[in-house]
Amino acid sequence: WGVVSWMALPWHSRVLHAFDHDVDVVRMLDFGTPASGVYVYPPAAAKEMKTGLPMAFVSFSKEGSRPMSQAIVLGLCLQILGAFILSWLLSKTSGLSYRRKILFAAVYGLAVGLLGAGPNWIWWHFAADYALVSIADSLISWTLAGLAIGKVL
């Protein structure tokens, strides 16, 4: 699903925005950060978060992106781990029809999406459309996994 979602559907490109003056922004990030990492503004240690002031959450890699092949392998490994967890959870249930196994997988996907994207939306101001696409991706991918896993178990 991830390949279809990211490469064939337009929804990710619609919720990920480019910086205006991107070269200047990257130069400033490179200048203002001692190492790769996650940075926030105002600093997380700020005693008072004032509403109405700019806020930023930036994951910055001075080394650039990892090779696409490595990202694909890591992503696949993560999805396989998720499938094992879903399979284990389904194996602990008894008497579920195929349809209910798919529903179980869909709820698993919804929970993964909500609990994964929700805190970023709440605390780090990730855009609602970005969070919703992440939740939808999770719901769809784990429902599709449930179609296969439900047949096996």
Side-chain angles (χ1 to χ4, degrees), residues 32-104:
T33 57
S36 294
V38 175
Y39 295 88
V40 296
Y41 179 83
K47 292 184 184 194
E48 186 177 318
M49 300 292 277
K50 294 183 180 175
T51 58
L53 292 178
M55 189 272 173
F57 179 99
V58 177
S59 176
F60 186 63
S61 174
K62 288 181 175 275
E63 301 79 25
S65 298
R66 64 175 44 98
M68 183 64 77
S69 59
Q70 184 183 14
I72 289 170
V73 169
L74 289 171
L76 179 62
C77 289
L78 188 60
Q79 295 300 312
I80 289 170
L81 176 61
F84 277 119
I85 293 169
L86 175 58
S87 297
W88 180 80
L89 289 170
L90 273 171
S91 76
K92 300 301 176 194
T93 63
S94 60
L96 288 182
S97 66
Y98 176 62
R99 189 180 211 170
R100 291 203 180 256
K101 288 177 184 178
I102 296 168
L103 179 60
F104 186 101

Side-chain angles (χ1 to χ4, degrees), residues 99-145:
R99 189 180 211 170
R100 291 203 180 256
K101 288 177 184 178
I102 296 168
L103 179 60
F104 186 101
V107 171
Y108 171 82
L110 181 61
V112 168
L114 285 171
L115 297 173
N120 291 327
W121 171 71
I122 293 168
W123 295 104
W124 301 116
H125 302 268
F126 281 30
D129 58 355
Y130 178 85
L132 288 172
V133 167
S134 296
I135 293 165
D137 254 348
S138 181
L139 174 61
I140 293 166
S141 65
W142 292 112
T143 301
L144 292 173

